[in-house]
Amino acid sequence: MGERLRPLTRGQVEDRLQELGDLYAEVSGGGPWAWNEARAAFLRHLAAEARRPGFSLLIAETTVLTGYAYGFPVGGVGTCWAGFDGHVRESLLRRVAPGRLFVVSGIVVPSRVRRENQDRAWNLARRLQRRLLADHGAALGVTLVEARDAGIVETLRSWGWRSAADGTLTAVPPGSCRVLVLTAGT
């Protein structure tokens, strides 16, 4: 709860890529080989995300980096965004004013944050996601999760995320994704 939250500029993100990758790998788990593979793939993904217009990365730190969340704003109906094509219905885009939809690409926090006090306002993941949306004036956050990753889906739901369709989690075919939304302030 004592973490300080602050945004990083793109230059600061580049300067701290190794540290960001280390925390990602640390919280991802697995042995050394898996750690290196996950870290490398994540750093490629983060570098690509950082090139998006409006990209933002918010860190939490004490004397060390303890977590972060990142994403980018979406313009409006008809906007095409990699990874979400075919998953986000235009009805979702019409739910909010143009420019008030924000894609939360990732929330990286230690496992204890994912397990403990998930429903508390002071939970680090909740604080990061709430601040990320507030900093961009977003009315709604959106994220894409592989349907088979039930653990991530349930963790996100414990932080206030809901199904984009109707607030329920319905059965989805293997290999498909779920679109989850988060109302600002949640």
Side-chain angles (χ1 to χ4, degrees):
M1 192 154 85
E3 293 95 348
R4 178 178 64 125
L5 304 184
R6 69 180 180 95
L8 296 183
T9 65
R10 283 190 179 161
Q12 290 171 322
V13 170
E14 288 176 18
D15 292 344
R16 294 184 75 172
L17 270 179
Q18 299 312 312
E19 185 181 6
L20 296 167
D22 288 349
L23 183 61
Y24 176 83
E26 181 183 315
V27 303
S28 297
W33 183 82
W35 192 88
N36 287 332
E37 288 295 312
R39 184 178 186 279
F42 170 76
L43 288 175
R44 285 190 301 274
H45 170 77
L46 184 59
E49 290 283 306
R51 289 191 292 273
R52 291 182 179 273
F55 172 81
S56 181
L57 189 139
L58 181 66
I59 64 169
E61 59 188 353
T62 53
T63 56
V64 297
L65 180 67
T66 59
Y68 53 95
Y70 60 97
F72 56 94
V74 176
V77 176
T79 303
C80 183
W81 12 305
F84 283 79
D85 301 340
H87 294 288
V88 176
R89 296 184 184 109
E90 287 203 15
S91 61
L92 173 64
L93 295 174
R94 280 186 249 122
R95 283 174 54 183
V96 295
R100 305 260 341 253
L101 183 65
F102 192 87
V103 173
V104 177
S105 301
I107 301 172
V108 178
V109 292
S111 59
R112 68 172 166 69
V113 174
R114 294 190 301 267
R115 289 187 322 266
E116 301 169 7
N117 303 305
Q118 297 166 321
D119 60 342
R120 303 292 190 161
W122 47 261
N123 175 280
L124 179 59
R126 282 181 171 264
R127 289 176 51 218
L128 283 165
Q129 68 191 22
R130 191 172 46 244
R131 169 84 182 271
L132 195 58
L133 296 182
D135 284 358
H136 292 276
L140 195 65
V142 63
T143 195
L144 190 63
V145 180
E146 287 187 37
R148 69 177 181 202
D149 201 340
I152 295 295
V153 171
E154 286 309 309
T155 296
L156 288 168
R157 286 182 58 83
S158 75
W159 294 336
W161 291 83
R162 298 291 170 247
S163 171
D166 59 5
T168 63
L169 291 178
T170 57
V172 291
S176 62
C177 294
R178 291 188 193 279
V179 177
L180 300 179
V181 295
L182 179 72
T183 304
T186 303

